[in-house]
Amino acid sequence: MPKIVDHDKQKQLVAEAALRLIQQAGLEQATVRNVAVEAGLSAGSLRHYFHSQVELYAFCMNIFVQRVEERVQAFRFEGAILHDLKRLLLHLMPMDEERTVEMEVWYSFNAKARIHPELRPLSEEMQASLHRVSEFVIQSLLDHKLAKPELNSELEAEKLYALVDGLAIHQFMQPGRLSAQRLEEILDQHLNMLCAQSREL
C-alpha cells in the first residue's frame, strides 16, 4: 500500500525547522535546501509544498506574524488602563531575545518584499496590523473618557504608530542605548499627553 502522508504534520515539521534556522542564522538561511535538511526531508519533498523560494519566505513570515498576533490577542487588561496600554505597546518592541529575532526577520523580509512584488501584500498587512494596535490604544482612551476632548484620533494614531515604530527601530539598531525604564518613561509621557488630565501609570 502507498504510504499515507499527513500533510498538515509535514507542514508543521517544516515550520519548526524554518523557525530554528531563522533563529540561528536569519531569514537568508531559510532556503528550500536548508529547511529540507533541517526538517529531515528531501528538497523535492519540500518543493511539493513550496514551489519557489518566495513562497517559502512568505510561509516563514506568516509564522512570525501568527506568533505576534497570538501574543497580542493573549494580552489581558489587569488594572489601570494607561498602564495596561503601555504594556501592550511594549509588546511591539524588541525587549527580549524572541522579539529581537522577530524584528530581525521583519527587516529581512521587508528587504525581500522590495525585490519580490508578490511579497508586498503580506508586508503591507503586517504594517497595517501594527497600525491597528495604535488605533486600538487611541480608541481605548476615548472609550474610557480619558482622552483630551479636542483629540484628533486619526492623527494621534499615526503619531503613536510612528513613535512606537521609531523606538523599536532604535532599540533594535542600538540595543542598550535606551534602557527599558527610559522606554517606559517615553511611552508614559506620550500617553499622558493624550489625556485630559495627567495620570499615574
Side-chain angles (χ1 to χ4, degrees), residues 80-95:
I81 183 67
L82 288 185
H83 177 75
D84 284 340
L85 290 175
K86 178 181 69 175
R87 287 196 303 112
L88 176 60
L89 293 173
L90 287 170
H91 273 281
L92 305 178
M93 297 187 188
M95 305 294 286

